[in-house]
Amino acid sequence: MRRTRRLPGESPLPPYVERGCDRELDARVREAARVGGLVVVTGAPLSGKTRTLWAGLFTNLSGTTRVFAPSPGTDLRGLPVLMRGRGDVGCVLWLDDLEGHLGEHGLTPALLADLLRLRVPVLATMDDQAYDARRFGASGRAGVLSGVEPVELPRAWSEGESERLNTFDGDPRLRAAAVWRGTHTVPEYLAVGPELMEEWRRARRPDAHPRGHLLVRVAIDFARCGVSRAGIHADDLREAQALYPEESAGAGAESFEEGFTWATDLRHGVTGLLVAGARRDTWTAFGSLVADVEARSDSPPVPLGLWMLAFEKAGDKALRWTVRWNAHEALVPRSDSDPEISVVLGRINLMTGDFRTAEYWYRKAADAGHTEAAATAGKLLAARGAGADAIPYLEQAAEAGVVRAQYRLGMLLAARAESWLTRAAEGGYPVAAQALPPLRAAIATPPDTVEE
């Protein structure tokens, strides 16, 4: 049984999610506990065989049952004598990966018969290929298995199993598996994830794979922004490296191609650190890496520039709104500490067409002294007819030398002058009437659109 991710305060294993074969397996285990016999669970690697059988053991056997779990290759011939000496104490023989316990000194038909007479249940797991080779092969080693019908555990989870997982709220690891496992099974996600995290963490060393480490971090952060399932093109990963100047400088010894190959190579016959995205020729980080980074309080935040890049690279409106939502969730709590955060929120809302929300964030940044934000806040206010509110922001930016703010402020003030001169002319003041034509000609330019 492989270890799963464990953060401080978490149990060694996540709670067990009921599998479709549990009812059949429970009946087999209870029968073996009553009269003895061999129960074998077969399945593909990382299908959950060990955890499923372990749950069957604890569900159906007494808490006082003594579990014998020898290492592969252990000489088992003395077991009957040992178990006879335990009197009425219940015992069970646990043989994970049964193929490692077969042979002359392991579990033989004769030993199994002795254990059956002693009513000792033997609970075992076996890889599908190993079972088929020993059960149907010509090697003559099928004796132990010939009278046993295995409980088969499919690799792919059924609809019912997935539904039970999706409604399980009792453990953060299972909640993360429901969200982030993608095309992988839950056992694959839970078992392989810690190995990938450790390998990724150690790869940052200069003599390891610092470029590969950086590319995986970029993909993780893209996923944190909200574009995980769609995936990101390799060229976008290359472009985004510039947003991590310190890490990029330290990764110079490894080329992009070398780092990318390392990150996408298959591990454990299951996955790479980068896996194929939903869109053609795209990549995303293996889901458990994203979930683990999100779960750790010491994880660095997503660079501000990556939020904008993720929004630009999102393939459709739904993804852009996901990035917008995630940006608010991640950045709003930090917005008082840095006006650049407010600018990013303003730009994202501006690009989604939510001008009023964009105006709020640009004004917030401007009030904190951000000159460029003041220019955009003034433009947004002027565009919706709030000229009086726009003037202070435009003046703030104009006085700091922002040319577009100087122009817009001049045009806004000229428009206000034109309004007052018109009223004066209509009141019979001739000098005002004379000043109006050249002023109107100066301000008669097409209005620009809000795109900052």
Side-chain angles (χ1 to χ4, degrees):
M1 184 184 298
R2 293 175 180 263
R3 67 185 179 95
T4 63
R5 185 204 80 190
R6 186 182 181 188
L7 296 179
E10 291 182 335
S11 59
L13 288 174
Y16 179 70
V17 178
E18 182 182 347
R19 301 298 300 272
C21 67
D22 283 354
R23 183 172 299 180
E24 176 189 2
L25 179 60
D26 288 347
R28 298 274 192 94
V29 172
R30 287 194 297 269
E31 179 68 9
R34 188 177 66 86
V35 300
L38 174 63
V39 178
V40 180
V41 175
T42 61
L46 298 177
S47 58
K49 303 182 296 295
T50 302
R51 185 69 197 281
T52 299
L53 184 57
W54 195 251
L57 185 158
F58 276 90
T59 299
N60 298 284
L61 298 184
S62 167
T64 61
T65 300
R66 185 68 181 270
V67 179
F68 290 86
S71 302
T74 300
D75 191 332
L76 303 181
R77 289 174 295 178
L79 271 178
V81 174
L82 177 64
M83 291 185 176
R84 285 192 193 98
R86 295 198 169 271
D88 294 334
V89 176
C91 300
V92 59
L93 178 59
W94 174 268
L95 301 177
D96 203 15
D97 295 326
L98 178 59
E99 60 270 25
H101 298 278
L102 300 177
E104 181 181 355
H105 296 166
L107 186 66
T108 63
L111 176 58
L112 183 59
D114 285 342
L115 296 174
L116 181 63
R117 283 190 290 271
L118 293 171
R119 299 183 179 181
V120 174
V122 180
L123 307 185
T125 67
M126 207 167 188
D127 179 87
D128 279 331
Q129 292 185 353
Y131 176 86
D132 290 345
R134 287 161 175 76
R135 176 69 177 83
F136 307 112
S139 63
R141 292 177 289 177
V144 168
L145 303 174
S146 60
V148 178
E149 180 182 352
V151 176
E152 298 181 36
L153 190 65
R155 175 189 175 277
W157 279 39
S158 68
E159 182 177 342
E161 290 170 334
S162 296
E163 287 179 356
R164 286 191 288 275
L165 174 69
N166 292 337
T167 58
F168 198 98
D169 294 328
D171 185 271
R173 288 163 292 189
L174 294 181
R175 292 199 302 271
V179 173
W180 291 107
R181 73 183 188 278
T183 60
H184 297 92
T185 68
V186 176
E188 287 172 347
Y189 174 93
L190 293 173
V192 174
E195 300 296 322
L196 297 184
M197 174 57 75
E198 181 66 11
E199 183 179 2
W200 175 61
R201 186 187 66 80
R202 291 183 57 79
R204 69 184 185 274
R205 305 191 320 275
D207 60 344
H209 292 279
R211 181 72 59 186
H213 175 88
L214 173 57
L215 294 177
V216 173
R217 182 181 172 188
V218 171
I220 290 171
D221 285 349
F222 266 119
R224 295 167 75 188
C225 291
V227 293
S228 58
R229 289 178 177 81
I232 291 295
H233 290 281
D235 287 343
D236 299 330
L237 294 175
R238 186 194 299 270
E239 176 185 352
Q241 293 178 101
L243 299 171
Y244 303 77
E246 183 177 345
E247 293 88 342
S248 188
E254 184 177 27
S255 70
F256 176 88
E257 290 73 18
E258 291 169 335
F260 185 77
T261 298
W262 172 83
T264 55
D265 279 347
L266 195 68
R267 273 86 167 169
H268 311 289
V270 174
T271 183
L273 282 82
L274 297 183
V275 299
R279 296 180 295 183
R280 184 177 179 180
D281 297 329
T282 63
W283 300 89
T284 187
F286 184 74
S288 70
L289 297 174
V290 184
D292 284 0
V293 168
E294 284 281 77
R296 296 176 186 273
S297 60
D298 58 348
S299 295
V302 175
L304 288 178
L306 194 72
W307 286 104
M308 290 309 311
L309 187 60
F311 188 90
E312 294 167 5
K313 302 299 183 181
D316 53 45
K317 183 178 180 180
L319 273 180
R320 287 192 290 273
W321 278 91
T322 298
V323 174
R324 177 183 181 270
W325 174 270
N326 289 348
H328 279 77
E329 289 286 299
L331 299 179
V332 169
R334 299 165 44 207
S335 60
D336 289 338
S337 65
D338 185 356
E340 288 291 347
I341 292 176
S342 296
V343 171
V344 168
L345 290 169
R347 289 187 64 193
I348 288 176
N349 281 284
L350 195 59
M351 293 171 71
T352 59
D354 188 348
F355 297 128
R356 294 301 291 267
T357 303
E359 176 190 307
Y360 168 83
W361 287 110
Y362 277 115
R363 292 181 75 170
K364 183 180 177 70
D367 292 341
H370 197 289
T371 300
E372 293 291 331
T376 303
K379 181 174 182 177
L380 289 169
L381 287 162
R384 69 174 178 88
D389 291 332
I391 288 173
Y393 290 108
L394 292 173
E395 287 180 336
Q396 175 184 341
E399 290 171 357
V402 180
V403 175
R404 70 180 190 278
Q406 294 168 348
Y407 165 76
R408 191 161 292 114
L409 177 62
M411 294 297 288
L412 179 59
L413 293 175
R416 298 190 76 188
E418 189 268 344
S419 174
W420 285 111
L421 287 172
T422 298
R423 293 176 64 177
E426 291 172 349
Y429 197 68
V431 178
Q434 294 172 7
L436 276 172
L439 180 59
R440 285 172 174 166
I443 64 176
T445 57
D448 53 1
T449 57
V450 177
E451 55 185 24
E452 298 163 18

